[in-house]
Amino acid sequence: MAELNHTLLVIFLSLFFSFLSTPVEPSPLTRHRNPKAMTYIESSCKGTLYPNLCIRCLSQYAKSPLNGPQHLAQYALSVSLSRALHTKGYLLQVAKELQAIKSNKKEYLTVQDCVNQITDSVEQISQAMKELRSFNKQDSSMNNNMLWHISNVETWVSTALTDASSCVYSFPGNRMSKRVAAIKLKAKNVAEVTSNALFLFHRYASTYQKAATKISKKP
């Protein structure tokens, strides 16, 4: 028995020290990140309301050089749309379940309102992304048409943020079921990433808005 224990101890120690001597490989995400792109993302996210969330969401786009604030705003809106679509799917499933069991009509109606609000968020963000992509086709010079496009994006993203926030606040109080807690958490996440996207778009659009101000001040 003593010899067996000694043998097992030797095997364990050899495996242990072999593990310690093996170099740790970085994760695929870490290996393929572009350091300059990651630095740019981190510095750009500092001004958002949720900087850590901003960095986590956008780090997936740090695999190649970012072509300035327009790319970052576009990626941020992509994240917002993805989260909104995921939340919409979850809400539709919850609404279907509540309708089937017919146990809490008030909760069902509230969830259905949230479905409508998040669906509107999806539509607004989709329109904003389409409008932002059209900026590439515009003349880079400042003109009233560009300001009109900027205003459209700001309006749509702001509306999407309001809709997601309304869903969060439609379930008041601290005591709630796991289902309601999950809904609030998902809708809150949509609101937060949309808030970050709005900030990053404002940052991008400010270049054009400053140019418009200078033009308007010329005699």
Side-chain angles (χ1 to χ4, degrees), residues 78-106:
S78 295
V79 170
S80 182
L81 179 60
S82 175
R83 299 294 175 89
L85 284 169
H86 172 77
T87 301
K88 176 185 174 182
Y90 176 77
L91 287 169
L92 285 170
Q93 183 61 36
V94 171
K96 185 178 179 180
E97 292 172 0
L98 288 172
Q99 188 177 33
I101 61 178
K102 298 178 181 179
S103 62
N104 192 330
K105 185 176 181 180
K106 182 179 179 181

Side-chain angles (χ1 to χ4, degrees), residues 40-145:
Y40 180 67
I41 288 171
E42 290 172 351
S43 62
S44 299
C45 286
K46 282 182 180 178
T48 63
L49 286 177
Y50 313 97
N52 292 333
L53 176 64
C54 178
I55 293 169
R56 285 202 309 273
C57 291
L58 296 180
S59 62
Q60 62 182 304
Y61 299 103
K63 298 177 183 179
S64 59
L66 291 171
N67 188 20
Q70 181 179 354
H71 266 172
L72 207 58
Q74 188 75 44
Y75 293 149
L77 285 172
S78 295
V79 170
S80 182
L81 179 60
S82 175
R83 299 294 175 89
L85 284 169
H86 172 77
T87 301
K88 176 185 174 182
Y90 176 77
L91 287 169
L92 285 170
Q93 183 61 36
V94 171
K96 185 178 179 180
E97 292 172 0
L98 288 172
Q99 188 177 33
I101 61 178
K102 298 178 181 179
S103 62
N104 192 330
K105 185 176 181 180
K106 182 179 179 181
E107 186 172 300
Y108 166 74
L109 292 174
T110 305
V111 170
Q112 194 59 52
D113 283 342
C114 271
V115 169
N116 296 333
Q117 289 158 348
I118 298 298
T119 298
D120 190 57
S121 288
V122 169
E123 293 172 356
Q124 300 290 338
I125 297 166
S126 298
Q127 286 181 298
M129 290 181 67
K130 183 178 179 181
E131 192 82 343
L132 182 54
R133 281 194 294 267
S134 73
F135 283 20
N136 289 326
K137 303 175 184 178
Q138 301 294 320
D139 190 331
S140 59
S141 61
M142 189 64 243
N143 53 58
N144 290 331
N145 192 44

Side-chain angles (χ1 to χ4, degrees), residues 82-218:
S82 175
R83 299 294 175 89
L85 284 169
H86 172 77
T87 301
K88 176 185 174 182
Y90 176 77
L91 287 169
L92 285 170
Q93 183 61 36
V94 171
K96 185 178 179 180
E97 292 172 0
L98 288 172
Q99 188 177 33
I101 61 178
K102 298 178 181 179
S103 62
N104 192 330
K105 185 176 181 180
K106 182 179 179 181
E107 186 172 300
Y108 166 74
L109 292 174
T110 305
V111 170
Q112 194 59 52
D113 283 342
C114 271
V115 169
N116 296 333
Q117 289 158 348
I118 298 298
T119 298
D120 190 57
S121 288
V122 169
E123 293 172 356
Q124 300 290 338
I125 297 166
S126 298
Q127 286 181 298
M129 290 181 67
K130 183 178 179 181
E131 192 82 343
L132 182 54
R133 281 194 294 267
S134 73
F135 283 20
N136 289 326
K137 303 175 184 178
Q138 301 294 320
D139 190 331
S140 59
S141 61
M142 189 64 243
N143 53 58
N144 290 331
N145 192 44
M146 181 63 77
L147 288 177
W148 180 73
H149 286 297
I150 288 172
S151 178
N152 285 342
V153 174
E154 288 178 336
T155 299
W156 288 327
V157 180
S158 295
T159 302
L161 173 58
T162 299
D163 286 329
S165 299
S166 296
C167 178
V168 175
Y169 296 129
S170 62
F171 296 97
N174 296 320
R175 298 182 65 183
M176 60 190 74
S177 65
K178 290 183 179 179
R179 180 192 291 118
V180 170
I183 291 172
K184 289 190 72 170
L185 184 63
K186 290 178 183 295
K188 185 172 180 287
N189 184 254
V190 174
E192 289 175 352
V193 295
T194 304
S195 170
N196 287 344
L198 183 60
F199 174 87
L200 293 173
F201 176 75
H202 279 154
R203 185 170 176 268
Y204 162 64
S206 64
T207 303
Y208 294 99
Q209 291 166 332
K210 287 177 183 177
T213 301
K214 289 180 181 179
I215 292 173
S216 64
K217 289 182 178 179
K218 286 184 178 180

Side-chain angles (χ1 to χ4, degrees), residues 4-23:
L4 177 61
N5 289 338
H6 180 266
T7 302
L8 291 174
L9 178 61
V10 169
I11 293 173
F12 172 77
L13 290 174
S14 63
L15 290 173
F16 176 74
F17 286 112
S18 174
F19 172 77
L20 289 180
S21 62
T22 303

